Amino acid sequence: MENAHDEKIISSLTEMGKQDNRFDSLYRRVSASFEISACAMWIFYYLLAFDEGMTQVELSEVMMFPKQTINSAVSQLAKSGMVTLEAVPGTRNSKKVLLTKQGKKLAEKTASRLLSSEIKAAQKFGEEKMMQFITLREEYLTLLKAEFESDFLKDE
């Protein structure tokens, strides 16, 4: 039987899980309102942030999406003329994903608006709270990862 302290921790963990799910749901609603997939929205988001483009591996790492999911989304965006793939000099088969003119227009109508709203919300939240929020989440993530890895997750 858990003690009162454990019950409070479990309650806190449950609330954090609900918050994470509400964040995910909110972003899925945003992408649906733009009539694009969540994956495409995040690709636009990061390609806007990195004007020089990103490789599919870099997108996968920053978005935390499986490589196959990124590959499928990039292929679909390339077929519809939203992105192009450009060989990275000095590599065997690495390619940068770049927005086309048409892709930039769509990214401005979607991901750019998303980012603008995020900036406004962060400004209202305040710089100090924002830094505390980021620091605390990162600290908890580090501790959680260490616990998972010591118990059942092994580096792949």
Side-chain angles (χ1 to χ4, degrees):
M1 180 114 203
E2 291 123 11
N3 62 37
H5 181 70
D6 286 349
E7 287 177 16
K8 286 182 182 179
I9 290 173
I10 290 169
S11 176
S12 296
L13 292 170
T14 301
E15 192 54 41
M16 286 171 46
K18 285 196 245 177
Q19 286 178 347
D20 287 344
N21 290 336
R22 289 196 314 261
F23 272 103
D24 289 343
S25 176
L26 180 59
Y27 282 96
R28 281 193 309 272
R29 282 182 52 210
V30 168
S31 65
S33 77
F34 294 146
E35 298 179 348
I36 59 174
S37 72
C39 189
M41 182 183 69
W42 287 115
I43 290 171
F44 286 146
Y45 186 96
Y46 286 108
L47 291 180
L48 280 176
F50 295 93
D51 257 353
E52 69 279 0
M54 299 177 78
T55 65
Q56 290 184 44
V57 170
E58 291 168 333
L59 284 167
S60 180
E61 288 170 359
V62 74
M63 291 170 54
M64 302 301 295
F65 280 40
K67 289 176 189 172
Q68 185 57 43
T69 302
I70 298 295
N71 183 275
S72 295
V74 166
S75 293
Q76 204 61 24
L77 290 170
K79 283 178 189 169
S80 62
M82 299 296 152
V83 300
T84 59
L85 299 173
E86 184 179 283
V88 176
T91 64
R92 270 187 348 125
N93 58 2
S94 188
K95 295 179 182 169
K96 288 252 185 202
V97 181
L98 299 161
L99 290 170
T100 63
K101 195 173 191 176
Q102 183 182 359
K104 266 195 176 162
K105 282 182 185 177
L106 183 56
E108 290 294 334
K109 291 179 186 175
T110 58
S112 184
R113 289 177 59 202
L114 169 79
L115 179 59
S116 177
S117 293
E118 287 177 326
I119 290 169
K120 289 175 192 171
Q123 288 170 337
K124 289 175 184 174
F125 195 53
E127 187 177 340
E128 187 177 329
K129 280 186 186 175
M130 203 65 180
M131 292 312 299
Q132 289 173 342
F133 180 68
I134 292 165
T135 300
L136 290 171
R137 281 179 61 109
E138 186 61 36
E139 182 179 341
Y140 180 70
L141 178 62
T142 300
L143 292 169
L144 185 60
K145 184 176 182 259
E147 287 298 322
F148 285 171
E149 288 174 349
S150 72
D151 190 19
F152 52 84
L153 282 183
K154 303 300 174 208
D155 281 341
E156 296 163 20

